[in-house]
Amino acid sequence: MSDEGPKLYTNKPNKAQVKQAQAKAKDFTVPPSSSSSASHGGSVPPPPPPKESFVRRNKFLWPLLLTVNLAVGGYVYFRTKKDNTSPSSEETETETKTVPPLLVTAEKPHSLAVAAEPVKAREPIPEKEQRELFKWMLDEKRKVKPKDPEEKKRMDEEKAILKQFIRAKTIPNL
């Protein structure tokens, strides 16, 4: 039979026929002098095939998982980088830098003393530059779209004040 090669069936054999063929092949390959099969009173069932690991069973998921992970990481990275460069955060940083730090005195640890730093007088900004600055502020206010009527009203008032400063002959010193 082994000289003929593999058999091609015109009809697929059912499970019972396949099991019979496997049992015959097993009986033929197991040596009759084995002591383990004699002590159990029959043939020993073969050990179950080793189960594949989770990684190997789901190897098609790894590229998808890595792609999603990179996309989320990139989104979070660029989102936080964008938030850190906002002009409002720069304004708050400059405001906090101008406030003098508080010092704790060595004699009284519970009392706080304000450090006496002299306030530096800055040079006044020329009127021409102030007008340019007001014009730029007005342009920026026009670009902002208000979310509700109260904010629209507040924005209109601020724009009106900026227009008054631009049209005025002299700009008041602050």
Side-chain angles (χ1 to χ4, degrees):
M1 267 183 134
S2 63
D3 294 335
E4 296 174 8
K7 289 186 177 182
L8 299 175
Y9 295 104
T10 55
N11 295 326
K12 183 178 175 184
N14 60 11
K15 290 183 181 179
Q17 292 172 344
V18 171
K19 285 184 181 180
Q20 286 177 357
Q22 287 177 350
K24 287 180 185 178
K26 190 186 294 183
D27 289 340
F28 184 70
T29 58
V30 175
S33 64
S34 72
S35 62
S36 64
S37 64
S39 65
H40 290 290
S43 63
V44 176
K51 191 174 181 182
E52 289 185 355
S53 68
F54 178 78
V55 175
R56 291 192 187 268
R57 279 184 289 163
N58 298 312
K59 62 180 152 184
F60 62 92
L61 289 176
W62 291 111
L64 176 69
L65 182 66
L66 289 173
T67 305
V68 169
N69 194 6
L70 284 173
V72 170
Y75 173 77
V76 168
Y77 175 75
F78 286 112
R79 182 77 174 181
T80 57
K81 189 173 183 181
K82 180 181 172 185
D83 288 345
N84 289 342
T85 59
S86 66
S88 62
S89 65
E90 291 174 1
E91 291 172 2
T92 56
E93 288 175 8
T94 57
E95 289 173 5
T96 56
K97 289 179 184 176
T98 58
V99 175
L102 299 176
L103 297 176
V104 178
T105 59
E107 300 91 25
K108 299 176 184 177
H110 297 291
S111 66
L112 299 176
V114 177
E117 291 184 12
V119 178
K120 296 179 183 178
R122 298 182 183 212
E123 297 177 12
I125 301 172
E127 282 190 27
K128 185 177 180 182
E129 289 182 19
Q130 285 183 357
R131 287 187 199 281
E132 290 176 10
L133 182 64
F134 288 142
K135 287 179 184 177
W136 175 79
M137 289 171 63
L138 184 62
D139 288 340
E140 292 298 316
K141 295 278 185 191
R142 288 177 178 154
K143 291 178 187 176
V144 174
K145 296 186 179 180
K147 295 180 177 108
D148 53 15
E150 294 173 5
E151 187 176 357
K152 183 177 182 352
K153 185 178 177 182
R154 184 178 49 84
M155 294 288 284
D156 289 341
E157 291 172 358
E158 291 173 0
K159 285 190 241 179
I161 293 170
L162 286 172
K163 287 177 186 177
Q164 287 177 355
F165 282 138
I166 293 170
R167 292 180 190 143
K169 290 182 181 177
T170 60
I171 299 175
N173 292 331
L174 301 175

